[in-house]
Amino acid sequence: MDMATVPAHVPQDRVVDIDVYALPDQERGFHKAWKALQDHSPDLVWTPRNEGHWIALRGDMLAEVQSDHARFSNQVIVVPKSVGEQHKLIPTTIDPPEHRPYRKLLNEGMALAKVRRMHDAIRAVAIDLIEEVRAEGKCDFTAQFAQVLPIRIFMSLVGLPMEESGKIRFWAECMTRPNPPLPFDQARQAFFDYLEPVLAERRANPGEDLLSQIVCADMGGRQLNAAEAVSLATQVLIAGVDTVVNFLGFAMLFLAENPQKRSELAAMDTSAVMAATHELFRRYGLVTIARTVQHDMEFHGVQLKAGELISIPTQIHGLDERINSDPLNVDFTRRGPRHSAFGSGPHMCPGQELARAEVAITIEEWLKRVPDFRVAPDADTRCSGGLVGQINRLVLEWDA
């Protein structure tokens, strides 16, 4: 891990020796580790780890950084900078107004109305997966459910065969985990090599899937060129096969350990469960990304220099007690929980409605069929970091 020398403009009281991908005690609790850092640090700190960068540790500051592209660019969104400079996927690494046509395309491809039409399909897959394990009294939730339902739905959305999902998720993890088995640039190239012939075929013979929409979209009198299409499609695949998989692990671990909260959810109707998941997304944000400082400036009492990176761990927004009272407590009656689980500003996640639906339907159908369950002794609930936090392996059991 490349360590940087502390720059002269960084006050010593703002320096912390923290690796954002491996916080102290992170294995025992991803979110509690971030909350401990937030509670015992200044609001904005600088770490020499990962080539040196700032870390925003308060929700309002994080939202400000995400929303103000004039001061904080999306040009590099991954630390360390040497890796982030290889990313270059669209639309996540371009700023407004250039990114707007690409975002419009994705917003239309995953619009709320379209996701609502997918609810029955999501529900059918969820029921099938639960019924497969219900009589057994036990399941590896990570492998048998979390890594199946959202990926199956997403692969259908993009029109790719489910049997291809394993290698796609492997490449995605190599681009979102520290010290991957395949270097970042090689995983990115693997995506490109896989997608180029697929996208060429969709351009020649388009269907109703999202990849066809990407290559055939009207971008102001033109279509995306091959380089734009493969970059955008790669970003879509990375987002589609990783984040919801890991969020489901945290949500179900919480429910396994909190029978009263299970009972609260089980008593709700479908619309109420959908609303209640908003609180779970607040409590269990996952994604740690970054922004690039556009020009020298004073920001919340410190000097920032052009080209520096500022890490924005989205999970700390929902955990900030200045914004959400008693933030470690999950309260399904909380009014207006504020968080950045899906980002904020012009780069807010276009797939958020699909993610909410998958999580809410999973919880609703699981509690109908397995209302009481617990963590099995052979589970590995240690947490790992990266661009997306995760639980290693959640195994659940119940009285069949």
Side-chain angles (χ1 to χ4, degrees), residues 13-153:
D13 64 353
R14 298 298 183 114
V15 178
V16 295
D17 186 8
I18 289 293
D19 178 359
V20 292
Y21 302 137
L23 268 62
D25 292 326
Q26 174 181 275
E27 283 194 348
R28 295 192 293 174
F30 178 79
H31 299 88
K32 289 183 178 179
W34 276 105
K35 182 58 181 165
L37 179 62
Q38 182 184 68
D39 288 346
H40 298 98
S41 305
D43 295 354
L44 181 62
V45 297
W46 192 92
T47 175
R49 301 276 175 174
N50 293 300
E51 301 173 6
H53 61 89
W54 296 96
I55 312 172
L57 290 174
R58 289 293 169 179
D60 285 345
M61 184 187 298
L62 185 143
E64 182 180 357
V65 171
Q66 290 186 100
S67 301
D68 189 350
H69 65 272
R71 291 187 295 166
F72 303 100
S73 172
N74 270 60
Q75 180 181 1
V76 178
I77 60 169
V78 174
V79 298
K81 192 173 187 178
S82 61
V83 173
E85 288 174 336
Q86 301 173 38
H87 197 277
K88 297 180 181 179
L89 298 179
I90 59 175
T92 52
T93 59
I94 53 177
D95 296 313
E98 289 80 7
H99 95 301
R100 288 173 186 158
Y102 306 104
R103 276 304 306 263
K104 182 175 183 292
L105 190 166
L106 294 180
N107 290 343
E108 292 172 353
M110 290 182 277
L112 177 58
K114 182 172 184 177
V115 171
R116 284 176 174 165
R117 292 195 294 270
M118 297 171 65
H119 282 196
D120 288 347
I122 297 170
R123 195 174 301 277
V125 174
I127 292 171
D128 285 347
L129 293 175
I130 298 166
E131 290 297 339
E132 285 178 6
V133 300
R134 182 180 181 183
E136 301 298 320
K138 185 177 182 178
C139 80
D140 181 335
F141 182 82
T142 301
Q144 294 178 270
F145 194 99
Q147 292 179 357
V148 180
L149 178 134
I151 295 178
R152 184 180 294 180
I153 297 301

Side-chain angles (χ1 to χ4, degrees), residues 141-368:
F141 182 82
T142 301
Q144 294 178 270
F145 194 99
Q147 292 179 357
V148 180
L149 178 134
I151 295 178
R152 184 180 294 180
I153 297 301
F154 182 77
M155 295 297 276
S156 174
L157 180 67
V158 295
L160 293 174
M162 185 64 183
E163 53 266 29
E164 302 280 272
S165 64
K167 63 184 179 184
I168 290 173
R169 187 157 193 264
F170 171 73
W171 298 331
E173 288 184 339
C174 288
M175 296 180 70
T176 59
R177 300 275 177 269
N179 306 310
L182 194 65
F184 187 98
D185 59 334
Q186 292 183 31
R188 181 176 179 269
Q189 189 60 48
F191 266 119
F192 285 12
D193 292 343
Y194 170 75
L195 281 169
E196 283 170 353
V198 172
L199 295 174
E201 170 61 23
R202 300 294 166 87
R203 195 184 296 273
N205 300 289
E208 299 297 320
D209 60 277
L210 183 56
L211 295 184
S212 293
Q213 293 176 42
I214 287 173
V215 295
C216 296
D218 181 356
M219 305 292 286
R222 70 176 185 93
Q223 291 183 340
L224 296 179
N225 61 42
E228 290 173 311
V230 75
S231 178
L232 183 59
T234 296
Q235 181 60 66
V236 166
L237 290 186
I238 293 171
V241 302
D242 196 34
T243 309
V244 178
V245 171
N246 293 314
F247 179 82
L248 280 170
F250 283 106
M252 292 299 286
L253 175 62
F254 168 76
L255 293 177
E257 295 177 335
N258 292 273
Q260 182 179 347
K261 298 299 182 181
R262 293 201 302 269
S263 297
E264 288 180 33
L265 286 172
M268 296 179 185
D269 61 21
T270 297
S271 61
V273 172
M274 189 73 74
T277 59
H278 191 30
E279 171 70 350
L280 291 173
F281 281 109
R282 175 202 67 79
R283 176 61 177 79
Y284 294 105
L286 294 175
V287 182
T288 301
I289 50 175
R291 294 290 187 266
T292 307
V293 178
Q294 290 272 53
H295 53 79
D296 293 0
M297 70 179 85
E298 182 175 330
F299 184 68
H300 291 263
V302 300
Q303 295 296 317
L304 307 183
K305 298 295 184 181
E308 292 180 334
L309 296 188
I310 179 167
S311 181
I312 44 176
T314 59
Q315 52 273 12
I316 61 95
H317 192 168
L319 299 176
D320 190 345
E321 73 282 350
R322 299 177 191 172
I323 294 171
N324 299 293
S325 62
D326 193 13
L328 292 178
N329 179 47
V330 172
D331 179 3
F332 294 128
T333 67
R334 188 187 300 271
R335 291 185 175 273
R338 291 171 56 194
H339 60 87
S340 293
F342 300 107
S344 61
H347 283 276
M348 182 171 283
C349 175
Q352 60 180 294
E353 297 299 341
L354 179 59
R356 287 193 178 103
E358 289 171 338
V359 171
I361 290 170
T362 290
I363 291 173
E364 183 182 9
E365 297 301 334
W366 188 280
L367 292 177
K368 285 179 183 177

